[in-house]
Amino acid sequence: MAETGTKTPRERYRTQVRAEIKERAWEQIATAGATALSLNAIAKRMGMSGPALYRYFASRDELITELIRDAYRSLADTFRAASGSGADAAALARALRGWALDDPQRYFLVYGTPVPGYHAPDDVTAIASGIMATLLDACAALPADGAATPFAAHLEGHRQWADGHPAPSPALHRALTFWTRLHGVLSLELAGHFAGMGFDPALLFAAELEALLGDLGAGSADGG
Amino acid sequence: MAETGTKTPRERYRTQVRAEIKERAWEQIATAGATALSLNAIAKRMGMSGPALYRYFASRDELITELIRDAYRSLADTFRAASGSGADAAALARALRGWALDDPQRYFLVYGTPVPGYHAPDDVTAIASGIMATLLDACAALPADGAATPFAAHLEGHRQWADGHPAPSPALHRALTFWTRLHGVLSLELAGHFAGMGFDPALLFAAELEALLGDLGAGSADGG
DNA sequence: GTCATTGCGTTACAACTTCTAACGAACACG
DNA sequence: CGTGTTCGTTAGAAGTTGTAACGCAATGAC
């Protein structure tokens, strides 16, 4: 049951039905959020009765976990594609924003409010490591400015998350700030906290990116 | 039935029961998240039957909205207290982190994944404006460095969210970056995305705060 | 103090959810 | 052409939110 490619017509059918279930699930999530995902509603939309779906996913949580897995994979693919033509941090940032705006609920599935008891399976954290590796590549390729920060020194002693990546610790620090700052703008934007404030979130995102790239030698990150 | 203070014993009892419901709700949210909040479970814990709670909250959504309101008020109070002894951005940042770590799910209730259809009531957005005003006070009190950023120029034309606050536009930009950067670190930390990476999130938060305060004249925000 | 009104908590119920169990039918394979 | 695995079904348990109708108790007026 393992080393055959896509073989038996039953498995073919099975993967197809699983794919359609996930498709409908994404539709539901996009319009009503992950908490409102209903297996019964998906089944009815597919012309089946509720319990039929349990042949394909053991539980609602397993379906959501699978969707989270796909979301991580999608982000990793997007990152890989964006960094294909050379490790470019700016391209990575733009790709991240595009990916986030393309399906905000997918972004929240990865970076949103976690369920307190939930632990991501190992393969998901492995994908996350790959995403981080791509980001580290781009950050290590940036021109390094002079002095290391105190936090970079701390990272020198806590770099196991880099998973053997040879980036110097200032690049590690830069990668983390890249992550947290872009996520800070994106998550607030997608959550609607900028709605009605009037300014253009894209410009704030661009300003943060500029600060991340530009304050290497130049000046202030947040202006003034 | 309005302008009396806390008068009739019935209203006294009513507000007390409402308070206890919210108390139990916070307990549930802290341990299982907002989506797992169950009115029936709260009722049973209080020794009442399920539908009794509908005398006090019209629906589960109304209860959650009330909790969101309380969370906003709590953050506003924390900010006011932290800025009471002079508008100090660093004190505000520390207060924010303490407030977030004190009850992560409360933080997520304010800044976490939103329900797609949800619109916050007006008084909540008013409280949010107050929080922003406190932050603007602190940012306007910071020493201003030289040139304005392009985004600050954009903000000059889109400052209605400042609600008449006299802060110059670079301070507006600084307030926004304050918000987004600290939220970026905090939300990823509280969501557990730093778990297992080894470094100390408090140091990353401190580094971001340092960058926000220190790159006025000095150097790089993210080192390297 | 008596009495009417108001509000509270109850049970019963509808409609929904996830998920299990048992059954029948269709399909793939030897 | 059997045989067996798998799929989809219906029935049902246990949970949820929320409504409706009822009884009781406490409140406030007289």
Side-chain angles (χ1 to χ4, degrees), chain B residues 169-182:
Chain B
S169 64
L172 264 51
H173 185 177
R174 191 182 296 277
L176 287 179
T177 55
F178 223 92
W179 185 20
T180 60
R181 290 188 190 177
L182 299 186

Side-chain angles (χ1 to χ4, degrees), chain B residues 39-70:
Chain B
L39 291 188
N40 264 333
I42 294 174
K44 271 174 191 167
R45 254 187 176 175
M46 292 178 63
M48 322 199 309
S49 268
L53 294 198
Y54 287 82
R55 299 278 179 191
Y56 301 94
F57 294 95
S59 70
R60 182 177 174 277
D61 278 8
E62 195 190 283
L63 171 57
I64 292 184
T65 294
E66 182 69 22
L67 296 176
I68 292 175
R69 206 189 317 266
D70 285 359

Side-chain angles (χ1 to χ4, degrees), chain A residues 39 58-68 115 118:
Chain A
L39 291 188
S59 69
R60 181 178 176 276
D61 278 8
E62 195 190 282
L63 172 58
I64 292 184
T65 295
E66 183 69 21
L67 297 176
I68 292 176
V115 177
Y118 183 78

Side-chain angles (χ1 to χ4, degrees), chain B:
Chain B
M1 53 132 84
E3 74 280 1
T4 68
T6 77
K7 281 297 153 48
T8 87
R10 240 156 180 174
E11 279 199 355
R12 216 191 294 256
Y13 176 75
R14 184 176 180 79
T15 62
Q16 183 181 339
V17 173
R18 275 178 67 103
E20 185 177 348
I21 292 173
K22 292 201 281 186
E23 220 171 290
R24 308 287 181 182
W26 279 118
E27 294 172 11
Q28 270 202 358
I29 286 179
T31 64
T35 69
L37 193 150
S38 159
L39 291 188
N40 264 333
I42 294 174
K44 271 174 191 167
R45 254 187 176 175
M46 292 178 63
M48 322 199 309
S49 268
L53 294 198
Y54 287 82
R55 299 278 179 191
Y56 301 94
F57 294 95
S59 70
R60 182 177 174 277
D61 278 8
E62 195 190 283
L63 171 57
I64 292 184
T65 294
E66 182 69 22
L67 296 176
I68 292 175
R69 206 189 317 266
D70 285 359
Y72 267 99
R73 272 197 281 252
S74 167
L75 178 56
D77 291 349
T78 300
F79 259 38
R80 255 195 299 275
S83 87
S85 55
D88 179 2
L92 242 51
R94 278 187 286 269
L96 174 64
R97 184 155 197 271
W99 184 81
L101 293 178
D102 190 51
D103 189 343
Q105 289 297 323
R106 181 182 55 184
Y107 185 90
F108 285 125
L109 219 51
V110 171
Y111 290 119
T113 308
V115 178
Y118 183 77
H119 278 310
D122 286 351
D123 61 323
V124 168
T125 64
I127 300 172
S129 290
I131 293 171
M132 183 55 79
T134 306
L135 177 58
L136 279 174
D137 285 341
C139 287
L142 288 172
D145 56 354
T149 58
F151 182 64
H154 171 74
L155 286 178
E156 196 58 67
H158 300 83
R159 57 181 302 152
Q160 71 269 26
W161 57 273
D163 204 29
H165 196 287
S169 64
L172 264 51
H173 185 177
R174 191 182 296 277
L176 287 179
T177 55
F178 223 92
W179 185 20
T180 60
R181 290 188 190 177
L182 299 186
H183 166 72
V185 177
L186 278 178
S187 86
L188 288 175
E189 176 185 1
L190 298 180
H193 281 99
F194 298 154
M197 293 183 77
F199 68 86
D200 183 357
L203 295 181
L204 176 56
F205 185 87
E208 282 298 85
L209 177 57
E210 192 102 359
L212 282 163
L213 299 175
D215 65 2
L216 286 162
S220 158
D222 44 354

Side-chain angles (χ1 to χ4, degrees), chain A residues 35 110 112-113 145 149 154 160-161 170 173-174 177 180-181 183-184 187 193 197-198 200 203 208 215 220-224, chain B residues 35 110 112-113 145-147 149 154 160-161 170 174 177 180-181 183-184 187 193 197-198 200 203 208 215 221-224:
Chain A
T35 69
V110 171
T113 309
D145 56 355
T149 58
H154 170 74
Q160 71 268 25
W161 56 273
H173 185 178
R174 193 181 295 276
T177 54
T180 60
R181 288 188 190 178
H183 166 72
S187 85
H193 281 99
M197 293 183 76
D200 184 357
L203 295 181
E208 282 298 85
D215 63 5
S220 158
D222 45 353
Chain B
T35 69
V110 171
T113 308
D145 56 354
T149 58
H154 171 74
Q160 71 269 26
W161 57 273
R174 191 182 296 277
T177 55
T180 60
R181 290 188 190 177
H183 166 72
S187 86
H193 281 99
M197 293 183 77
D200 183 357
L203 295 181
E208 282 298 85
D215 65 2
D222 44 354

Side-chain angles (χ1 to χ4, degrees), chain A residues 3-209:
Chain A
E3 74 279 0
T4 68
T6 77
K7 283 294 155 49
T8 87
R10 257 187 159 147
E11 278 199 355
R12 217 191 294 255
Y13 176 75
R14 184 177 180 79
T15 61
Q16 183 181 340
V17 173
R18 275 179 67 103
E20 184 175 349
I21 292 172
K22 291 201 283 188
E23 220 171 292
R24 307 288 180 183
W26 279 118
E27 293 173 11
Q28 270 201 358
I29 285 179
T31 63
T35 69
L37 192 149
S38 158
L39 291 188
N40 265 334
I42 293 174
K44 271 173 192 167
R45 255 187 177 175
M46 291 178 64
M48 322 199 308
S49 267
L53 295 199
Y54 287 82
R55 299 279 178 193
Y56 301 94
F57 293 95
S59 69
R60 181 178 176 276
D61 278 8
E62 195 190 282
L63 172 58
I64 292 184
T65 295
E66 183 69 21
L67 297 176
I68 292 176
R69 206 188 318 268
D70 285 358
Y72 267 100
R73 272 198 281 254
S74 166
L75 178 56
D77 291 349
T78 301
F79 259 37
R80 255 195 299 274
S83 87
S85 55
D88 181 0
L92 242 51
R94 278 187 286 270
L96 174 64
R97 184 155 198 272
W99 183 82
L101 292 178
D102 190 51
D103 189 344
Q105 289 297 323
R106 180 181 57 183
Y107 185 91
F108 285 127
L109 219 49
V110 171
Y111 289 120
T113 309
V115 177
Y118 183 78
H119 277 312
D122 286 352
D123 62 322
V124 167
T125 65
I127 300 172
S129 290
I131 294 171
M132 183 55 79
T134 306
L135 177 57
L136 277 175
D137 285 341
C139 287
L142 287 173
D145 56 355
T149 58
F151 182 64
H154 170 74
L155 287 177
E156 197 57 68
H158 300 83
R159 58 180 302 153
Q160 71 268 25
W161 56 273
D163 204 28
H165 196 288
S169 64
L172 264 51
H173 185 178
R174 193 181 295 276
L176 287 179
T177 54
F178 224 91
W179 187 18
T180 60
R181 288 188 190 178
L182 298 187
H183 166 72
V185 177
L186 279 178
S187 85
L188 289 176
E189 176 185 1
L190 298 180
H193 281 99
F194 298 155
M197 293 183 76
F199 67 86
D200 184 357
L203 295 181
L204 176 57
F205 185 86
E208 282 298 85
L209 176 57

